[in-house]
Amino acid sequence: MATDYRGKLAELIDELSRLPGIGRRSAQRLALYLIRQPLERVEELAAKMVESRRHVHPCPHCGNLSEDECCDICADQSRDRSIICVVEDAAAVISIERSGEYGGLYHVLGGIISPLDGVGPEDLTVNELVKRAKDVEEVIIAVNPSVEGDATTLYISKLMKPLGVKVTRLASGLPVGGDLEYADSVTLARALLGRTEV
Amino acid sequence: MQLESLYLYNFRNLPTLRMSPYQGINLIIGPNGAGKTNLLEAIHFLATTRSHRLAKDRYLLRKTEEVFSVVGEVVTRSGRRKLRINYSKGHKQAHVDGERAVRLSEVVGILALSIFSPQDLNFIRGAPALRRRLIDMWACQMEHDYLEELHAYRIALRQRSSLLRSVYQGQSAPDQLEVWEQELATHAAPLILRRMEIIPRLSSALGENYALLSGNAEEASLEYLPSLDPLPQSGIEEISSTLKKELLMRRGRDISLGQTSIGPHRDEVRFLVDGNRADLYASQGQVRLLALSLRLAEHRLLEERLGEEPLMLLDDVDSELDEARLSKTLSLLPRMGQVFITTTQEKLSHLIPDPKAIWRMEAGRLEREN
Ligand SMILES: [Zn+2]
């Protein structure tokens, strides 16, 4: 009697379970769902994955996701180029854009400092930020409110100090340990407006 | 504060149990294994959503069952509240007045209590970490921000340790430690400050109760020994900046140790009897009296904060005390509001003035004596 999946199906389950947030059981459910779908649908899905992987890349200026040479935000000449908002990932860019309260540029760090996860400043786009910050008036640090987020904010603000740029952070009010991604637009707008100097 | 009714379903060895507790002292008599401690544990669970024995929730579930419930009606100064906590498939759900609570923390503290159990003796004799935990649990009850700061402090501590090891192995630059030292100092300062406030208050209440129970034979106190020594007395900013400097000074040593050698996680709290350390020198009798005095002190400070008497739960207290001290303890109870005492010994019933308050428990069944 078979006690586990074998062959191609087992390989698919293995692959799926490596995706973030997908456990073994979800991977099995997804795999069983996929093999019951019409072949064209699965081919289309596979093609979508390949295409996005091929065409979507980090913007060379800010690290935001982009399909063109540079991202929509960097390309938009109407945006305020004297201010940069530093965020953890591209999802945070979407959240802040949705709040409608921000018209400057972004800088995506690609994570936050966390020695426990083996992430140090050298793993983030910190050096690129230092280069960009020389040409702006204000840097807003908008990482998620957590101990690691605070440490990252401290680290960046120390790097910014000698550049003479104004460094601010979001006003408190966002739930600690919460994610900017899940903060509602009103809360986020308020946090942006009430930002304080570090 | 009164617990007016209690209903348990599948809690430990109790398939169902209904109780309408008496307003003053409730004496619960029964043999070992009858379920007396489980009954007190259920009341503690209703108050805090946790076992006082630190048992995991699944161990509170009756064997072969899948759900358990603890339900109670509480009358406090601010009114009557119905509390219910259900456990099912590894999850707890709380209800207050019939409405689902979004967070478990919404029910915590509506019913306030102090509980003495024989395990409390470990706080006196055991490792310093146990006493720190006692103070932490206590401070969390008194101050809402304490738990948040403690949580943040522990995260910063783990992050710094991890980075210390990475620096030791030459994988990270030592100056990256600075932000974690800053984070540690920021979250440590409020913890230290709260401990500085709370421990002396607890100490004087402990001393008074100990004097009463021991017939003024000895003096007991609680002493706070912060690892940051000398400790600046001028407030949170200075504690924080002094600790940060100290962390920087110890950085080299901490790198080779692979851990942080100073901070609230290294603070000591000591019980003293006549100035001598209780963890080293106290007799078994003194240890018992300290543990009991501590809970009576806790009860008093809780009462001061709430403006009403919390419940007092005493598990198997007579097995820990001799006759004279037991009757002194019992003489203190009428002033403590609603009390629950468990015992295996019939003789305690003679010391309780009102027979309506006597309950008998056997094999998970509870009956009021008539
Ligand atoms: Zn861009």
Side-chain angles (χ1 to χ4, degrees):
Chain A
M1 200 181 84
T3 55
D4 205 348
Y5 297 97
R6 289 189 297 171
K8 299 280 178 224
L9 188 53
E11 284 169 30
L12 176 59
I13 292 171
D14 275 349
E15 280 301 331
L16 289 171
S17 65
R18 273 180 224 155
L19 299 177
I22 306 285
R24 190 84 202 154
R25 281 177 66 174
S26 305
Q28 284 173 15
R29 208 164 48 232
L30 289 172
L32 292 174
Y33 172 83
L34 287 172
I35 56 158
R36 284 197 307 264
Q37 299 306 301
L39 188 58
E40 310 81 73
R41 271 212 61 193
V42 180
E43 276 172 345
E44 202 179 316
L45 176 63
K48 285 266 187 309
M49 289 167 123
V50 173
E51 272 168 44
S52 17
R53 172 62 188 86
R54 201 166 270 155
H55 294 107
V56 181
H57 53 82
C59 165
H61 309 290
C62 72
N64 188 21
L65 295 178
S66 166
E67 286 188 37
D68 302 310
E69 200 189 322
C70 82
C71 76
D72 297 347
I73 293 168
C74 289
D76 182 349
Q77 289 304 319
S78 72
R79 296 194 74 115
D80 181 353
R81 283 166 192 274
S82 68
I83 180 166
I84 292 178
C85 181
V86 180
V87 294
E88 273 176 60
D89 52 28
V93 174
I94 307 279
S95 303
I96 293 175
E97 283 300 288
R98 206 176 286 145
S99 81
E101 235 5 280
Y102 182 68
L105 301 178
Y106 288 93
H107 189 88
V108 177
L109 284 174
I112 48 171
I113 301 174
S114 174
L116 281 168
D117 300 305
V119 182
E122 65 283 0
D123 301 303
L124 310 175
T125 59
V126 171
N127 291 333
E128 290 83 341
L129 175 63
V130 172
K131 282 182 210 133
R132 294 181 71 198
K134 287 174 184 147
D135 307 319
V136 301
E137 282 160 28
E138 183 181 352
V139 169
I140 306 173
I141 307 174
V143 297
N144 292 331
S146 66
V147 179
E148 291 81 3
D150 288 348
T152 306
T153 303
L154 271 171
Y155 187 86
I156 293 173
S157 64
K158 279 188 206 307
L159 289 178
M160 298 291 119
K161 279 267 155 63
L163 306 178
V165 59
K166 180 177 168 191
V167 182
T168 56
R169 63 184 305 171
L170 294 187
S172 53
L174 295 169
V176 173
D179 213 303
L180 289 188
E181 204 181 330
Y182 303 114
D184 65 274
S185 300
V186 180
T187 312
L188 208 47
R190 212 180 290 141
L192 268 164
L193 285 172
R195 63 186 183 267
T196 51
E197 207 152 338
V198 180
Chain B
M1 187 176 293
Q2 299 284 331
L3 179 63
E4 283 212 333
S5 70
L6 181 70
Y7 170 69
L8 311 180
Y9 177 71
N10 286 339
F11 190 89
R12 295 270 194 189
N13 72 335
L14 312 168
T16 60
L17 183 144
R18 274 179 206 285
M19 183 183 193
S20 302
Y22 191 61
Q23 285 196 357
I25 299 171
N26 291 269
L27 177 67
I28 302 149
I29 307 174
N32 284 323
K36 303 187 300 298
T37 302
N38 299 347
L39 174 60
L40 298 193
E41 188 177 36
I43 298 174
H44 188 272
F45 186 82
L46 190 64
T48 65
T49 78
R50 278 159 199 241
S51 154
H52 70 284
R53 294 187 271 193
L54 306 172
K56 294 217 165 74
D57 295 332
R58 64 173 188 277
Y59 297 121
L60 305 179
L61 184 62
R62 190 163 175 253
K63 282 199 187 79
T64 74
E65 297 293 338
E66 291 186 353
V67 293
F68 75 76
S69 300
V70 180
V71 187
E73 238 178 308
V74 184
V75 179
T76 72
R77 248 173 20 146
S78 51
R80 178 182 295 268
R81 310 298 290 277
K82 246 194 181 147
L83 311 179
R84 167 191 278 271
I85 304 170
N86 294 337
Y87 171 91
S88 164
K89 296 186 182 131
H91 281 283
K92 282 181 281 199
Q93 173 66 53
H95 299 256
V96 180
D97 296 330
E99 283 194 33
R100 282 169 72 103
V102 180
R103 281 188 226 97
L104 280 174
S105 60
E106 286 175 41
V107 290
V108 175
I110 294 178
L111 176 62
L113 55 77
S114 243
I115 183 165
F116 169 83
S117 82
Q119 282 108 318
D120 286 350
L121 273 56
N122 297 331
F123 286 123
I124 317 295
R125 279 235 170 102
L130 275 170
R131 284 184 288 283
R132 272 196 299 272
R133 195 163 75 194
L134 179 76
I135 298 300
D136 285 341
M137 286 192 303
W138 216 72
C140 287
Q141 276 189 38
M142 302 292 286
E143 304 289 344
H144 279 301
D145 63 343
Y146 193 90
L147 182 61
E148 231 169 71
E149 296 291 355
L150 186 63
H151 185 63
Y153 179 76
R154 286 178 178 157
I155 291 173
L157 201 57
R158 288 208 306 272
Q159 292 285 16
R160 185 172 186 259
S161 298
S162 177
L163 189 54
L164 285 169
R165 286 190 285 273
S166 172
V167 171
Y168 184 75
Q169 291 160 0
Q171 289 163 353
S172 302
D175 61 4
Q176 289 182 20
L177 285 160
E178 189 188 347
V179 293
W180 298 107
E181 287 157 9
Q182 174 78 61
E183 283 299 306
L184 271 177
T186 302
H187 296 293
L191 300 179
I192 295 170
L193 210 64
R194 295 283 182 234
R195 289 175 180 181
M196 279 167 70
E197 282 163 19
I198 282 168
I199 293 168
R201 284 170 59 206
L202 196 53
S203 176
S204 75
L206 169 87
E208 280 170 39
N209 278 299
Y210 192 93
L212 265 168
L213 297 179
S214 71
N216 287 313
E218 291 153 339
E219 268 181 33
S221 59
L222 193 59
E223 183 185 28
Y224 180 37
L225 298 142
S227 60
L228 183 63
D229 185 31
L231 191 63
Q233 298 295 315
S234 55
I236 200 155
E237 298 296 334
E238 202 177 344
I239 294 175
S240 170
S241 66
T242 310
L243 180 57
K244 198 187 163 204
K245 274 182 220 135
E246 188 66 28
L247 283 164
L248 175 61
M249 273 178 24
R250 289 172 180 242
R251 201 185 268 174
R253 184 159 34 130
D254 286 359
I255 289 169
S256 47
L257 280 171
Q259 50 180 291
T260 299
S261 59
I262 192 168
H265 67 296
R266 291 294 180 92
D267 287 357
E268 284 234 33
V269 180
R270 280 183 195 151
F271 289 91
L272 303 176
V273 177
D274 284 342
N276 298 315
R277 285 175 60 172
D279 56 331
L280 301 180
Y281 304 114
S283 69
Q284 185 67 7
Q286 288 171 324
V287 169
R288 287 169 174 163
L289 222 51
L290 278 169
L292 184 59
S293 307
L294 177 75
R295 292 306 186 185
L296 297 175
E298 177 190 78
H299 185 272
R300 220 213 12 250
L301 294 192
L302 262 174
E303 180 185 349
E304 279 172 22
R305 186 173 67 88
L306 299 169
E308 64 181 319
E309 293 151 329
L311 272 53
M312 183 84 225
L313 277 47
L314 297 166
D315 192 19
D316 214 12
V317 66
D318 55 313
S319 74
E320 301 296 339
L321 296 177
D322 60 36
E323 196 83 33
R325 285 168 173 184
L326 181 62
S327 72
K328 276 209 177 97
T329 305
L330 295 175
S331 74
L332 295 176
L333 299 182
R335 285 185 268 140
M336 306 203 106
Q338 196 177 30
V339 180
F340 296 77
I341 317 173
T342 69
T343 180
T344 53
Q345 302 182 64
E346 200 57 48
K347 66 172 189 201
L348 231 63
S349 62
H350 306 302
L351 300 167
I352 300 290
D354 193 337
K356 270 188 295 191
I358 297 174
W359 304 79
R360 302 210 174 260
M361 197 159 190
E362 203 148 344
R365 292 172 57 87
L366 181 74
E367 273 169 25
R368 175 174 255 162
E369 187 159 280
N370 292 307

